[in-house]
Amino acid sequence: MSKEAKTTKEIETINVGIVGHIDHGKTTLLHKISGKWTDTHSEELKRGITIKLGYADITIYEDKGTFNKDGQGTAVRHVSFIDSPGHEMLMATMLSGVAIIDAAILVVAANEGIKPQTREHLIALQAKKIKHLIVVQNKIDLVDSEQAKKNYADIKALLKGRYDDAPIIPVSAQQGVNIDEIYKAIMEIPPQPRNLQGEPIFLIARSFDINKPGVSPDKLKGAVLGGTLRQGILKVGDELEIKPGIVIKEANQYHYKALKTKIKSLFNGTHQVQELTPGGSVSIETELDMVLGKKDSLAGGVASYHGKLPELSSAIKLKFSLFPEVLGAGVGTKVEPIKASEQLMLSINTSMTVGLVKRISGNIAEITLKVPVVTFKGDNTCIARNFNNHWRLIGCGEIL
Ligand code: GDP
Ligand code: MG
């Protein structure tokens, strides 16, 4: 076993999401922080924007009071970064990323200032009860000190009452200025409480087929699930059940069938491990046919031991609160009350599902879901409503 794989067990891993408006420099920043480019899909390269969640893992080292990712000094913390798209059409992807993070970095380009998705992402973090925030005031190389000060004041005003204590770090991601201040801020986030005792709950954020074309059948790998372990421990050889699983047609009716499989191998970032504990973006190679994992088809699902997951919910009861204004739609659009029979989009853990409001009484909504999901009592949800073909966040809630 490599030195790295051993330290994985000894020091904790924290999951940090990178959010913010498109083009404000999230992917460039993550490249500087981690040494990795996360926009690697051909479509992303072509269009120059992040479409899928991107992942990069580092270990932070402390060396005489300063921090680096290059192995100088003592390893102090593993960080799994999740890069999210800032495009308004990809809000759902951003939200599924938020489901698996402990802390977030909000990137605001100093030359452009606070934009619709800056606001929308910040509110989503708050709705999902992400406690720790670092703000990066990026592209500082493009502004003079006056503009930088004004932008700083705007950020302060945006954070007020939400994340009053969040550090605001001026950075030039492109020129690699002040990156070590980000490591320092990450080190100031307290260790995250981890529940190792409960039954495992693995939230699936993506799934894929890792086989290269033309590989011989005896070397074929099973479908891989990427995501994070919310609680419990998983080991190689454990039996898994995945819900909702796959859609099957029986007696002319479509319904979901849970998948049962076994863990073939486990990875924490790129390190192969025998056991997973909460923290880190991790992946599970299963014995399932690789085809089942293709194109994120199992994303949004949840895995645990056989028989330990709750029944699928096709209706939920939600205690909700609405934002005063529609986010991301420009300033001043009031949120109208939720009405019976309207369609809403809900983000629950790593899944997104359309729901039809059955009944409303006060701040409790009963909603039937188009696609059933695994829910746990107390899960935080984001609620979006359709405005001119865009899903806009209008509030948040808690599953009862
Ligand atoms: P994202 O959409 O938030 O992921 O933004 P990208 O990382 O793709 O960056 C968008 C553009 O801004 C790219 O052309 C980057 O080279 C540029 N950029 C990123 N950070 C900086 C910076 O600190 N200074 C300057 N001048 N340009 C930057
Ligand atoms: Mg990007």
Side-chain angles (χ1 to χ4, degrees):
M1 229 191 237
S2 72
K3 194 172 152 228
E4 296 273 274
K6 261 190 207 144
T7 57
T8 302
K9 293 201 74 162
E10 290 154 15
I11 57 180
E12 58 143 18
T13 305
I14 178 169
N15 294 2
V16 178
I18 305 198
V19 303
H21 199 75
I22 188 162
D23 268 349
H24 280 203
K26 296 176 292 299
T27 301
T28 308
L29 179 74
L30 184 49
H31 174 236
K32 277 287 150 36
I33 297 175
S34 71
K36 293 175 195 108
W37 281 110
T38 52
D39 280 355
T40 50
H41 301 276
S42 55
E43 185 68 5
E44 295 183 332
L45 292 173
K46 214 161 51 206
R47 293 167 60 187
I49 67 165
T50 309
I51 297 167
K52 294 178 164 212
L53 294 174
Y55 297 85
D57 288 348
I58 63 164
T59 300
I60 297 181
Y61 295 81
E62 182 170 7
D63 186 26
K64 301 181 196 92
T66 65
F67 299 98
N68 68 83
K69 65 160 181 23
D70 308 312
Q72 290 150 30
T74 324
V76 282
R77 188 169 246 185
H78 297 297
V79 190
S80 271
F81 291 101
I82 297 158
D83 184 16
S84 60
H87 194 285
E88 59 171 4
M89 301 293 279
L90 297 164
M91 190 63 196
T93 308
M94 180 271 172
L95 288 172
S96 66
V98 171
I100 59 175
I101 61 174
D102 304 304
I105 296 176
L106 175 69
V107 178
V108 184
N111 61 329
E112 288 199 6
I114 290 154
K115 294 293 230 184
Q117 274 65 53
T118 315
R119 211 177 279 278
E120 193 171 34
H121 287 189
L122 184 80
I123 302 293
L125 294 172
Q126 199 188 3
K128 293 278 192 175
K129 307 236 158 65
I130 304 299
K131 286 205 193 79
H132 307 285
L133 181 76
I134 298 165
V135 181
V136 163
Q137 190 188 21
N138 191 32
K139 307 201 185 186
I140 209 75
D141 56 300
L142 295 182
V143 297
D144 57 28
S145 71
E146 200 127 309
Q147 266 179 300
K149 270 189 211 146
K150 175 171 187 308
N151 179 243
Y152 182 92
D154 291 346
I155 294 172
K156 266 286 182 208
L158 178 69
L159 298 179
K160 197 167 164 43
R162 302 188 170 115
Y163 291 96
D164 290 296
D165 302 328
I168 303 170
I169 306 172
V171 162
S172 169
Q174 199 187 51
Q175 299 178 18
V177 175
N178 244 3
I179 303 298
D180 49 346
E181 286 298 315
I182 299 176
Y183 300 136
K184 200 165 137 195
I186 292 172
M187 289 310 303
E188 273 159 23
I189 299 169
Q192 298 302 295
R194 305 292 189 201
N195 173 1
L196 303 179
Q197 260 70 51
E199 304 290 355
I201 299 176
F202 185 80
L203 302 178
I204 305 170
R206 52 189 179 145
S207 71
F208 36 90
D209 166 11
I210 52 170
N211 296 289
K212 300 240 158 59
V215 66
S216 70
D218 60 312
K219 295 217 172 66
L220 276 177
K221 302 275 187 193
V224 174
L225 313 174
T228 201
L229 191 57
R230 186 154 96 177
Q231 66 174 47
I233 296 176
L234 285 175
K235 296 192 181 76
V236 173
D238 283 350
E239 308 269 350
L240 278 189
E241 181 170 40
I242 302 164
K243 285 185 177 181
I246 49 167
V247 183
I248 55 164
K249 195 176 177 184
E250 256 175 13
N252 269 330
Q253 291 260 353
Y254 289 97
H255 64 97
Y256 280 86
K257 184 169 175 274
L259 292 167
K260 294 199 169 149
T261 185
K262 206 169 170 177
I263 299 179
K264 266 173 88 177
S265 60
L266 292 171
F267 294 86
N268 192 338
T270 52
H271 302 293
Q272 192 160 2
V273 293
Q274 292 303 309
E275 181 182 295
L276 290 179
T277 53
S281 22
V282 297
S283 30
I284 301 177
E285 186 202 341
T286 66
E287 287 183 347
L288 292 172
D289 189 323
M290 61 193 190
V291 174
L292 288 173
K294 273 202 167 135
K295 293 194 178 145
D296 289 331
S297 53
L298 298 174
V302 182
S304 183
Y305 298 145
H306 287 189
K308 296 298 178 192
L309 288 173
E311 290 295 313
L312 282 182
S313 314
S314 49
I316 55 165
K317 219 178 199 186
L318 201 64
K319 185 176 162 195
F320 66 90
S321 60
L322 297 179
F323 303 140
E325 276 183 18
V326 184
L327 291 162
V331 185
T333 320
K334 266 187 67 185
V335 174
E336 301 296 329
I338 293 180
K339 292 177 288 293
S341 326
E342 81 162 309
Q343 281 207 344
L344 298 172
M345 176 80 89
L346 303 172
S347 89
I348 304 170
N349 293 317
T350 52
S351 71
M352 290 295 290
T353 176
V354 171
L356 184 71
V357 181
K358 276 283 167 214
R359 191 170 308 141
I360 289 276
S361 76
N363 64 342
I364 310 280
E366 286 172 50
I367 301 175
T368 46
L369 305 176
K370 221 166 194 170
V371 177
V373 291
V374 176
T375 60
F376 301 91
K377 208 170 163 272
D379 276 348
N380 299 312
T381 18
C382 281
I383 307 167
R385 176 183 274 157
N386 201 302
F387 291 87
N388 308 317
N389 290 324
H390 292 283
W391 290 103
R392 306 283 190 195
L393 284 190
I394 57 161
C396 56
E398 187 185 312
I399 299 208
L400 297 177

